[in-house]
Amino acid sequence: MTSDSHASKPLSVVLAGGGTAGHVSPLLAIADAIREKRPEASILTVGTPSGMETRLIPAAGYRLATIDRVPFPRRPSVDLLKLPGRLAGAVKQARGILEDSQADVLVGVGGYVCTPMYLAARRLGIPIVVHEANMKAGLANRVGARFSRHVAVAFAGTRLKGARHVGMPMRRAISTLDRGSAAPAAKALLGLHPDRPALIVTGGSSGALSINRAIAAALPTFAAAGIQTLHITGVGKAVKNDDGGLLAGDGYRQVEYVDGMENVYAAADVLLARAGAGTVSEVAAVGVPAVFVPLPIGNGEQALNAAPLVEAGGALLVEDQDLGPQWLEQELIPLLSDRSRLNDMARKSEALGIRNADQRMADLVLEAVSA
């Protein structure tokens, strides 16, 4: 597109992605960074009618358009026979959105919505920018990368043609966090004692039953070692004891959800969590010693996400089936009691982290428009 066309109307950016917070969070961080560099830009986001984006994106102050969700069946089925028609319908919806918004560029972060958006943008000759969050690229972004010379990845080892390693776009409250200075206030906010080692456990927004069980079984051992535990169980996944009441114990507190993960990262001496791409990237950026318990289902992408940080000595990894009271007693309790080891892990973690991925992505978007 010519510079004259940009002079006649504000830059129009369409960002597509959704389904999970793992897609929506970087999408919003990229949108904020574009708005910072080009305040006059028109920004539209595109998702599906059923994903987390329907709540998170309007709450962040951005417009959301939706197209039909088109899952790609992994094996022969009736759904596979219906796929061409469904995909054609979704591409038609995508084309309408791009035309109505007079899009200058499409930015895709992955998820069901991206494949039809990429296909429509390619047909319309609109530049495409791709960001892949996981070490193992998803199907939609593998398609998008074939149509783009502006492909970015969160992890250096992700294999996508022509990809640039930019890191994971994240909220400024996280990317600008100084754990040392923020820790006292964060601990007070989360109800943690300032002088006891703090373990914070989270299974992500959907919770993690196996993690919850392991922590519940290890509580007496934690208490005996003087460790306090904040357990973020997941919404609707409160941990009960045998008589049906809420699990309780010395130094133990459970909440279903924490609004503002920056406070968790500041307050935790060790974070025990799943290894979603966002969590791994945020942990590295701010230097939190972590224990990762990759999801045992799926294509093994969580273990791959965590691998570079584990290999660098910034985190530990334990398989889901191995996480139990014995492992926690033998491995985690000694770690929480070893300040010099925790400091060393924090340094190694932060050395791998990238705090300005949102800025890098905004620059890539503007580069694609001017190419």
Side-chain angles (χ1 to χ4, degrees):
M1 291 189 184
T2 67
S3 57
D4 290 344
S5 68
H6 293 303
S8 61
K9 72 175 184 65
L11 175 67
S12 174
V13 182
V14 175
L15 297 107
T20 65
H23 286 132
V24 179
S25 296
L27 183 151
L28 288 172
I30 295 167
D32 287 346
I34 292 169
R35 180 152 284 172
E36 195 173 75
K37 288 179 185 286
R38 298 287 290 270
E40 82 290 353
S42 165
I43 296 176
L44 176 67
T45 67
V46 185
T48 65
S50 56
M52 290 182 79
E53 59 269 27
T54 56
R55 180 172 56 83
L56 297 176
I57 286 177
Y62 289 100
R63 293 178 298 138
L64 174 70
T66 60
I67 63 174
D68 293 339
R69 184 174 176 270
V70 184
F72 284 69
R74 307 246 177 222
R75 53 184 63 88
S77 64
V78 174
D79 280 342
L80 189 60
L81 296 175
K82 293 178 179 175
L83 177 62
R86 285 177 174 166
L87 185 58
V91 171
K92 186 178 178 184
Q93 291 174 318
R95 182 174 181 135
I97 289 169
L98 291 168
E99 288 178 331
D100 289 347
S101 63
Q102 296 183 282
D104 294 306
V105 61
L106 169 69
V107 185
V109 298
Y112 290 119
V113 70
C114 280
T115 302
M117 292 299 297
Y118 291 146
L119 292 170
R122 188 190 186 211
R123 289 177 190 175
L124 291 169
I126 294 169
I128 294 169
V129 178
V130 176
H131 184 274
E132 173 55 53
N134 283 296
M135 183 71 90
K136 193 170 184 177
L139 175 61
N141 281 347
R142 294 204 304 273
V143 170
R146 293 170 60 185
F147 308 149
S148 174
R149 290 184 293 108
H150 300 89
V151 180
V153 292
F155 296 105
T158 302
R159 293 169 64 181
L160 271 180
K161 187 183 174 187
R164 307 181 206 186
H165 178 214
V166 304
M168 177 73 82
M170 58 189 73
R171 289 189 304 112
R172 286 288 171 84
I174 294 171
S175 66
T176 60
L177 178 69
D178 179 330
R179 284 183 69 231
S181 60
K187 285 191 174 186
L189 184 72
L190 296 174
L192 293 166
H193 192 280
D195 300 323
R196 288 175 73 177
L199 169 67
I200 301 187
V201 179
T202 173
S205 56
S206 55
L209 199 55
S210 57
I211 290 177
N212 293 353
R213 285 194 190 117
I215 295 300
L219 276 192
T221 322
F222 287 155
I227 290 164
Q228 58 185 330
T229 307
L230 175 64
H231 190 170
I232 307 166
T233 61
V235 176
K237 306 224 170 142
V239 183
K240 308 282 180 69
N241 56 30
D242 292 339
D243 64 12
L246 279 180
L247 182 69
D250 176 32
Y252 173 83
R253 179 165 167 256
Q254 63 169 291
V255 294
E256 291 194 353
Y257 179 74
V258 170
D259 188 23
M261 282 300 288
E262 61 274 10
N263 294 310
V264 169
Y265 296 147
D269 291 297
V270 172
L271 180 77
L272 188 148
R274 292 299 192 199
T279 302
V280 173
S281 299
E282 289 172 357
V283 158
V286 302
V288 187
V291 172
F292 291 122
V293 190
L295 263 175
I297 55 174
N299 59 10
E301 69 184 27
Q302 288 207 348
L304 293 172
N305 291 342
L309 202 50
V310 173
E311 287 162 12
L316 302 180
L317 186 142
V318 55
E319 298 293 347
D320 195 78
Q321 72 266 20
D322 297 331
L323 182 72
Q326 185 178 356
W327 190 93
L328 293 167
E329 182 174 358
Q330 291 176 356
E331 302 290 338
L332 185 57
I333 288 175
L335 173 62
L336 274 156
S337 311
D338 190 339
R339 177 50 55 191
S340 66
R341 188 180 169 202
L342 289 174
N343 290 340
D344 183 56
M345 287 178 72
R347 277 193 302 272
K348 288 172 175 172
S349 177
E350 208 165 353
L352 275 191
I354 297 174
R355 289 180 179 248
N356 66 340
D358 58 336
Q359 303 290 309
R360 293 181 182 190
M361 281 303 298
D363 288 339
L364 191 61
V365 171
L366 296 177
E367 179 190 308
V369 173
S370 60

